[in-house]
Amino acid sequence: MLSQKIEEALNGQIKIEAESSQVYLAMASWAETKGLEGVALFMYAHSDEERMHMLKLTKFINERGGHAKISSLVAPPVSFGSFKEMFQTLFDHEVMVSQKINDLVDITLKEKDYATHNFLQWYVSEQIEEEALARNILDKINLIGDDKGGLYLFDNDVKMLTSNTAV
Ligand code: OFO
């Protein structure tokens, strides 16, 4: 059984994951309108992943006798400046999510809820991967600079990332 405090905290995380999914969907759409096909595919896949993170929390809360609440969401931006700025936004967003997961883990320890603590370990590992992937992409972008040919190759590279990894 979940304590009220844990249930509220997990519900807060549902909202964060759902908003992440919306932000990446907005990025996918923006990239698609710019002709960045690979980047758009990557962002669509990432958006789906975030929805899966949200659903995993929803099911966990309900299985443990709580009630997962589906709330309204903050609208994501419509455009993202340059593709470099967009990936920086993605990286910063993931760092924020990692912090929220850490806060949640902290609450479970204080509440002595070891089942939820165990459940959250999956998110801890996931965040390590997501931050590393975003950092890796930012490094590539910095290498390309303003080179148009480089951007074309980068778009193809990111498309490969989408087919090879679960984002
Ligand atoms: Fe990319 O964040 Fe979910 O957990």
Side-chain angles (χ1 to χ4, degrees), residues 21 24 43-53:
S21 179
Y24 299 140
M43 291 299 180
Y44 279 125
H46 204 153
S47 173
D48 285 348
E49 286 284 324
E50 297 301 345
R51 180 174 159 78
M52 189 270 282
H53 297 171

Side-chain angles (χ1 to χ4, degrees), residues 13 16-17 20 24 46 49-50 53-54 93-94 97-98 101 122-123 126-127 130 167:
Q13 192 63 31
I16 291 170
E17 301 291 347
S20 302
Y24 299 140
H46 204 153
E49 286 284 324
E50 297 301 345
H53 297 171
M54 184 271 288
H93 189 88
E94 288 303 330
V97 173
S98 298
I101 297 287
W122 183 87
Y123 288 84
E126 184 71 10
Q127 284 312 117
E130 291 201 351
V167 181

